[in-house]
């Protein structure tokens, strides 16, 4: 339990901290079983090309269907998984589910891609590329259809190891994406050394765009920089039509956000796939992927 020392040096127990840390301890104890018993599931959020309105792929977002607490979002269990070392099996489970799903899409929607988030510990794991290679072989998914999303902060702690892990992944032919771009403090000189081919502009900039001309200027600069470095740009958290139009004018390649769709359960996803096909928003063919 967390204790806080007051100004007088008296140790006081804070009931709210205590509840929070007890909850975390319980969740930590339950997480292993959750991964083994398939309570850990994946929701899928579509990504759309701004050039032609094609759905080019989906991002896998982890969810925990907890038997008594309901549906838990990643902010509640990813940090616990990181602290307990369970992140390795968690990542593997999400990757496996996402790749099997991607394989199932291919006959009807050839070329539709999948993105999976990695965390800090995954970038310290020198067998990460072997895990990914094994799962690609197992599912038969083309490596170019897989994108792994990483954040600046997960790279910066131990840059040398992270760089080696990322280069081994890059050598498999998978895509690497820099998620939440703009929220970290990494020097560009470091970022430029990473073998990434996509940046995702953080939703805080996208949200600020409607009210702040400087946010728009930053987004414009990021898009131009990324294109100069031959990278694709995704805007995350797009919630309104005005933002979408501005991003299109600025040359942003891809959008993701509630305007298009919330993350979908596997059940909702199959309805969405049918619906989108009827609405005339075709899925990507291999030759229609941006850049
Ligand atoms: P992220 O990768 O940046 O994912 C985007 C988050 O923003 C998702 O939250 C998504 O549901 C939410 N989002 C999408 N569109 C909008 C929008 O228009 N407006 C707003 N306000 N939010 C939007 P979620 O699913 O709760 O995930 C949060 C973070 O947890 C993710 O951020 C990612 O860093 C992490 N995460 C999710 N799944 C995994 C996983 O399988 N492994 C690891 N290591 N991390 C994961
Ligand atoms: Mg992401
Ligand atoms: Mg993001
Ligand atoms: Mg984010």
């Amino acid at each position: 339990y967390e204790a806080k020392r007051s100004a007088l040096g008296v140790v006081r127990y804070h009931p709210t901290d205590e509840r929070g840390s007890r909850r975390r301890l319980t969740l930590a104890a339950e997480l292993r079983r959750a991964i083994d018993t398939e309570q850990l599931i994946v929701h899928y959020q579509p990504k759309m090309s701004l050039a032609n309105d094609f759905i080019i792929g989906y991002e896998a977002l982890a969810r925990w269907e907890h038997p008594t607490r309901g549906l838990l979002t990643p902010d509640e269990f990813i940090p616990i998984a990181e602290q307990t070392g369970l992140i390795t099996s968690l990542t593997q489970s999400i990757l496996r589910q996402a790749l099997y799903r991607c394989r199932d899409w291919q006959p009807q929607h050839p070329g539709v891609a999948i993105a999976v988030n990695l965390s800090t510990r995954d970038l310290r794991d020198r067998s990460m590329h072997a895990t990914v290679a094994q799962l690609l072989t197992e599912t038969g998914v083309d490596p170019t259809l897989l994108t792994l999303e990483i954040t600046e902060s997960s790279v910066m702690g131990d840059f040398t190891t992270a760089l080696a892990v990322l280069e081994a992944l890059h050598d498999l032919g998978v895509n690497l994406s820099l998620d939440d771009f703009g929220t970290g403090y990494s020097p560009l000189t470091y970022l430029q050394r990473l073998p990434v081919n996509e940046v995702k502009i953080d939703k805080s900039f996208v949200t600020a765009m409607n009210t702040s001309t400087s946010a728009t200027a930053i987004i414009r600069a990021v898009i131009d920089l990324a294109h100069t470095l031959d990278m694709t740009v995704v805007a995350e958290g797009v919630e309104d039509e005005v933002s979408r139009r501005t991003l299109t004018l600025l040359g942003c390649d891809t959008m993701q956000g509630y305007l298009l769709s919330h993350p979908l359960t596997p059940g909702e996803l199959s309805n969405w796939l049918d619906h989108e096909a009827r609405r005339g928003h075709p899925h990507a063919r291999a030759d229609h992927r941006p850049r």
Side-chain angles (χ1 to χ4, degrees), residues 45-48 54-57 115 149 198 254-256 260:
Q45 191 181 34
K47 289 186 190 178
M48 189 179 80
F54 282 15
I55 304 298
I56 55 171
E149 300 192 0
E198 177 183 283
T254 309
M255 69 154 269
Q256 215 182 345
L260 179 62

Side-chain angles (χ1 to χ4, degrees), residues 3-12 14:
K4 293 237 165 79
R5 203 169 285 275
S6 76
L8 295 172
V10 180
V11 174
R12 297 186 51 206
H14 287 248

Side-chain angles (χ1 to χ4, degrees), residues 119-136:
S119 68
T120 308
R121 276 231 199 170
D122 295 323
L123 299 186
R124 309 289 176 268
D125 176 3
R126 287 183 180 268
S127 61
M128 195 64 215
H129 72 282
T131 303
V132 173
Q134 198 275 322
L135 289 171
L136 286 168

Side-chain angles (χ1 to χ4, degrees), residues 55-125:
I55 304 298
I56 55 171
Y58 296 83
E59 178 175 4
L61 294 159
R63 298 287 183 267
W64 182 354
E65 281 185 322
H66 194 282
T68 57
R69 295 174 201 266
L71 192 69
L72 305 182
T73 50
D75 50 303
E76 290 219 60
F77 59 86
I78 295 290
I80 295 173
E82 277 268 304
Q83 285 152 22
T84 54
L86 286 172
I87 192 72
T88 308
S89 354
L90 187 149
T91 301
Q92 204 164 332
S93 167
I94 300 296
L95 265 170
R96 176 175 279 111
Q97 295 181 52
L99 284 171
Y100 272 107
R101 192 70 63 182
C102 182
R103 180 201 68 176
D104 292 346
W105 296 329
Q106 297 310 312
Q108 282 219 39
H109 309 288
V112 168
I114 187 74
V116 175
N117 293 281
L118 297 185
S119 68
T120 308
R121 276 231 199 170
D122 295 323
L123 299 186
R124 309 289 176 268
D125 176 3

Side-chain angles (χ1 to χ4, degrees), residues 184-250:
Y185 299 92
S186 344
L188 282 172
T189 47
Y190 275 71
L191 296 183
Q192 179 257 324
R193 290 171 57 195
L194 299 173
V196 294
N197 27 29
E198 177 183 283
V199 295
K200 294 185 83 169
I201 300 175
D202 191 67
K203 59 174 172 275
S204 58
F205 293 101
V206 176
T207 307
M209 199 170 59
N210 281 340
T211 50
S212 142
T213 50
S214 62
T216 309
I218 290 170
I219 290 179
R220 185 197 309 270
V222 169
I223 292 171
D224 292 347
L225 173 74
H227 285 169
T228 304
L229 298 172
D230 222 13
M231 294 177 187
T232 304
V233 186
V234 183
E236 65 170 30
V238 181
E239 296 185 352
D240 62 281
E241 196 55 52
V242 174
S243 304
R244 168 190 147 131
R245 235 172 286 146
T246 309
L247 288 160
T248 308
L249 288 174
L250 293 175

